[in-house]
Amino acid sequence: MLNHPKSKQKTTLLRYWTTRYVITLCVGLVIIGIISALWIRQSTIEHRLHTMTIIAEEWANRIIHNDQDQLETRGGELPEFQPERFNSNIYITNLDGRIIQQRTIGFQFVRAIPQDILQKDNETQKIQLSGRRGETETLYLVKVPVIWETIHIGWVVVTQPEREVAAVDQEYHLLIVMLISLALLGWGVIYYISRKLSDPIKSVASAAKQIQAGEYTVKLNENDINEKEVYELVHSFKDMAGRLDQLEAIRTELLAGVTHELKTPVTSISGLLQALKDEVVTGEEAAEFLDISLKETNRMQMMIRDLLEFNSFASGQFPVKKEWESINHVVFDIVNQWNLTEGNNNWHPRVIVNPLENDVSIPVDILRLQQIIINLLNNAKQALEGEGEITISLNLNQDFVVIFVEDTGAGIPQSDQEMIFERFYRGENKKYKVRGLGLGLPFSKMLAKAHNGDLQLVESKPHDGTTFKIELPRNDSGNIVEKKG
């Protein structure tokens, strides 16, 4: 007994896709969250700095317009005033940076604003301010010049701590809520979709186990499936299960039929020989018994030969050796040979051959083509049942020579037409009338395929005849052993 290695534990499709999707979704949302947080922070800072700039400009304009008289009286010196309350530090300075008036909260400049800050071209700056107790804090600073009649007379400076400018706690809370909501929504969607996809696949897997156990009748419902690929999977598997069930029934029936076909001649031969041994018959009757025994022996040998030949060809041990031959000449020779062989029987149908107007040579194995055509002729003769004719017509197209074999017989029932190329299959019309193994058409199709051609049923109607066609390639370099002029 073989010891199979222990297989790795498998994960269900639902868990596999849900887990990986959630991981991917969370990683993606974390990245999006970090980028969004940075963007929100930067946007908030820019917005608040812009607000600080507007406030500074407003104070500069107010000093110029509201205190026009005092400026003229003081010769352009800044007047003292009390700034309105605002959540920022506001400084009014002269050109030297000396603070004239201020409104401060928290960290502040004491007497003056350093000249290096005022002399910088940047309107907005980020600075660090040291407190009285040695602590430091980072501030954002916005400075706007105060200009009276084209004369620069001072500055309006607005400062605010970085922590307040960049404070976006509420926005972060909203972002976190949004990301969590998206994660839950995404997980719910992928769970629903994965489950919807996994349920029919689980049904197919369960049905496959039934088939593995030899139970071919499976129940699969494909009507509620909207996805095309999943529907095709379930529908194809259901059709396959039905076909396997059908083939299993045929196999069982045909096994009994083949056994019967081989058992019948053995029984006949055994009985006839026993009669001869017991001298039940003598003289001419004994000779007739011997003749019958030989015929039954030959028939049994032919069935065994058919089985061996079919198996050999199916396993690739029966090569096809093609030669360049005139197709009209080959078909006429095959028909003449069949006429001579069948001419000794009580009834022989008339065979009409319609050759090509302009004969062509094609690569063909004459022996294999003969097997195909003779099998079709024998089947046609059985279908005619004592009356009618067979017509063989040759046509030509760009790639193939097409040989049509048509009879005017009983036709093939519609229920049998899909199965006629299955090995060992025998239709209802032949099962009890014609003795054989059901290998003729499957073997003929294999021979046509070996020529890189095909054998197909064109049409068959009850009581209106049957038409087969053989396709043989006009140019095929494989397995050619000789080229005839």
Side-chain angles (χ1 to χ4, degrees), residues 219-354:
K219 294 182 179 180
L220 293 172
N221 184 16
E222 74 270 25
N223 296 327
D224 297 333
I225 300 175
N226 297 322
E227 297 78 9
K228 179 180 178 182
E229 292 80 4
V230 179
Y231 173 82
E232 289 178 350
L233 171 65
V234 176
H235 184 72
S236 299
F237 191 90
K238 188 176 180 180
D239 285 349
M240 182 195 71
R243 179 126 174 114
L244 286 174
D245 189 28
Q246 186 180 19
L247 290 176
E248 180 64 17
I250 293 172
R251 185 189 68 83
T252 303
E253 181 181 351
L254 293 179
L255 180 61
V258 171
T259 304
H260 174 75
E261 290 293 334
L262 293 175
K263 179 181 178 181
T264 301
V266 171
T267 303
S268 300
I269 294 170
S270 176
L272 292 170
L273 293 178
Q274 187 65 42
L276 291 173
K277 179 182 178 182
D278 296 341
E279 297 182 354
V280 175
V281 293
T282 58
E284 293 182 0
E285 194 174 6
E288 184 180 353
F289 272 38
L290 285 174
D291 185 54
I292 295 173
S293 297
L294 289 174
K295 288 182 179 180
E296 291 294 319
T297 301
N298 290 333
R299 192 167 66 83
M300 187 168 62
Q301 288 177 340
M302 288 178 62
M303 287 190 290
I304 295 173
R305 183 197 64 195
D306 289 345
L307 280 171
L308 293 175
E309 192 174 67
F310 182 87
N311 289 332
S312 298
F313 197 87
S315 61
Q317 300 176 7
F318 225 83
V320 172
K321 297 180 180 180
K322 292 175 280 188
E323 300 177 355
W324 288 89
E325 300 285 353
S326 163
I327 189 60
N328 282 347
H329 179 73
V330 169
V331 172
F332 275 117
D333 283 351
I334 293 173
V335 172
N336 289 334
Q337 183 178 350
W338 185 75
N339 284 331
L340 292 174
T341 304
E342 297 293 321
N344 297 327
N345 296 331
N346 294 332
W347 177 79
H348 183 64
R350 186 166 70 101
V351 181
I352 301 172
V353 178
N354 298 320

Side-chain angles (χ1 to χ4, degrees), residues 1-8 212:
M1 183 176 178
L2 295 176
N3 293 324
H4 296 285
K6 193 173 182 180
S7 60
K8 183 180 178 181
Q212 185 180 14

Side-chain angles (χ1 to χ4, degrees), residues 65 100 108 197 262 293 309 321 346 365 406 450 474:
H65 292 92
I100 298 174
Q108 57 183 295
L197 291 177
L262 293 175
S293 297
E309 192 174 67
K321 297 180 180 180
N346 294 332
D365 186 327
E406 180 181 2
R474 296 181 59 177

Side-chain angles (χ1 to χ4, degrees), residues 170-219:
Q170 184 176 1
E171 288 82 354
Y172 286 162
H173 293 158
L174 292 175
L175 177 63
I176 292 172
V177 171
M178 181 185 68
L179 293 178
I180 292 175
S181 300
L182 288 175
L184 293 175
L185 177 62
W187 176 82
V189 170
I190 195 62
Y191 180 85
Y192 172 76
I193 294 175
S194 298
R195 184 166 184 175
K196 191 174 182 180
L197 291 177
S198 65
D199 285 347
I201 295 176
K202 286 168 61 178
S203 300
V204 171
S206 177
K209 291 181 180 179
Q210 289 182 324
I211 292 176
Q212 185 180 14
E215 184 181 346
Y216 298 103
T217 304
V218 297
K219 294 182 179 180

Side-chain angles (χ1 to χ4, degrees), residues 35-106:
I35 296 173
S36 299
L38 294 175
W39 178 78
I40 291 173
R41 184 177 185 275
Q42 184 62 30
S43 298
T44 302
I45 291 174
E46 291 177 357
H47 173 72
R48 290 178 178 172
L49 290 176
H50 180 67
T51 302
M52 291 168 63
T53 302
I54 293 175
I55 293 171
E57 291 174 348
E58 181 183 351
W59 276 111
N61 291 330
R62 184 178 298 181
I63 291 171
I64 298 299
H65 292 92
N66 294 349
D67 302 308
Q68 184 72 24
D69 295 337
Q70 295 186 44
L71 285 170
E72 292 178 355
T73 303
R74 300 168 65 92
E77 291 185 7
L78 287 169
E80 295 184 0
F81 68 97
Q82 181 65 37
E84 298 177 5
R85 295 186 58 83
F86 182 70
N87 192 25
S88 297
N89 293 349
I90 301 177
Y91 303 91
I92 309 299
T93 75
N94 59 17
L95 288 177
D96 296 333
R98 183 174 59 86
I99 298 174
I100 298 174
Q101 192 62 269
Q102 64 180 350
R103 189 270 182 188
T104 58
I105 300 175

